[in-house]
Amino acid sequence: MENYRGYFNKILQVFFPNEFDKIIADTDRHYSTISVSTAFAITSKNPIDKRLDFSAYFLALIKTLDEKGESFDTIRQICLQIVTAYVQPKNKAQAFFKRLLPKLTNTLFGQILIKQFHKRTSTNSNSEGFIANIITDKTETFGIGYGIDIIECGICKLFQKYNYSRYASILCEVDEITSSLAGLKLIRSGTIANGAKKCDFRFKREI
């Protein structure tokens, strides 16, 4: 089991104490099918693809709760509680490194990392994965010198493939939380999940 499963279990036990075992069993059953579509991510050279296994389990849970008859709002609430708990730093060291990475953008080491990241994210050998461009122009990135344009979203492709596109935007909401943990405020004009042509990630440093 991947380490994220514990976060699902903890929240689902709170919401469904009497139906927990069945919900987990149904989620695991759906995941066994959905995860076939994301198996490529394990060996993908594109680092953003690594989040697709997590997304596949999310989709499996969403499918389970939807079939159970839960409302969109309830499913959204459960999903956001799970992912919010998951992305929180687990210790002081993790919290430190989350805030350290943005500070490296204007260093030589940081620029090397950004170039390598762009090289690996701007193409994808699998049509079901992510494609992203890294933006380094300071005039376009509030002086930080780092931004991301997601051109093709692997999560949206996955949810669309299984006819659950309307739920994909739930995961977009978490980006503000992860940005804040890095000491940044997310500035975004749109997401692919909500009909935009790209997901533009721009950041401002929090005071």
Side-chain angles (χ1 to χ4, degrees):
M1 291 289 183
E2 298 291 341
N3 61 2
Y4 57 72
R5 303 291 182 90
Y7 296 92
F8 283 81
N9 292 348
K10 184 177 180 179
I11 300 301
L12 290 172
Q13 284 176 331
V14 173
F15 276 87
F16 306 105
N18 300 321
E19 302 171 273
F20 171 75
D21 290 339
K22 184 178 187 309
I23 288 174
I24 289 297
D26 288 345
T27 299
D28 287 342
R29 176 171 53 83
H30 288 314
Y31 172 75
S32 67
T33 299
I34 296 169
S35 61
V36 173
S37 299
T38 60
F40 74 91
I42 297 173
T43 57
S44 174
K45 294 181 179 180
N46 188 325
I48 308 179
D49 287 344
K50 303 303 181 185
R51 64 183 63 183
L52 286 176
D53 182 65
F54 181 76
S55 302
Y57 201 75
F58 247 108
L59 177 55
L61 173 61
I62 289 170
K63 185 173 176 61
T64 295
L65 297 179
D66 180 59
E67 291 175 348
K68 185 177 178 297
E70 299 295 337
S71 68
F72 178 91
D73 288 340
T74 297
I75 293 173
R76 174 180 172 274
Q77 181 184 5
I78 292 170
C79 288
L80 287 178
Q81 285 194 29
I82 292 170
V83 76
T84 298
Y86 176 69
V87 301
Q88 295 297 318
K90 307 306 179 287
N91 50 56
K92 291 183 178 179
Q94 286 187 12
F96 172 78
F97 281 109
K98 283 180 182 290
R99 288 184 171 267
L100 174 64
L101 291 176
K103 297 177 182 179
L104 297 176
T105 55
N106 292 319
T107 66
L108 177 59
F109 178 65
Q111 290 300 310
I112 293 173
L113 289 179
I114 289 171
K115 288 180 181 179
Q116 288 297 317
F117 190 57
H118 175 73
K119 183 178 180 180
R120 296 175 66 185
T121 61
S122 59
T123 60
N124 203 318
S125 59
N126 194 295
S127 62
E128 296 189 356
F130 283 86
I131 294 179
N133 291 326
I134 308 305
I135 312 301
T136 57
D137 187 335
K138 289 188 176 182
T139 63
E140 296 183 33
T141 58
F142 300 100
I144 291 179
Y146 178 76
I148 307 173
D149 283 346
I150 302 291
I151 308 302
E152 295 185 18
C153 175
I155 294 173
C156 290
K157 293 175 185 178
L158 179 67
F159 277 58
Q160 183 178 29
K161 183 175 183 178
Y162 290 92
N163 299 313
Y164 274 84
S165 290
R166 77 188 191 98
Y167 290 92
S169 62
I170 293 174
L171 290 176
C172 301
E173 297 184 52
V174 185
D175 295 328
E176 291 188 13
I177 299 171
T178 56
S179 298
S180 179
L181 292 173
L184 301 171
K185 177 178 176 59
L186 175 63
I187 309 295
R188 187 165 59 189
S189 63
T191 64
I192 295 172
N194 286 318
K197 291 184 178 180
K198 65 180 180 181
C199 306
D200 56 333
F201 289 72
R202 301 294 186 270
F203 308 97
K204 286 185 176 180
R205 298 189 190 280
E206 291 185 337
I207 299 174

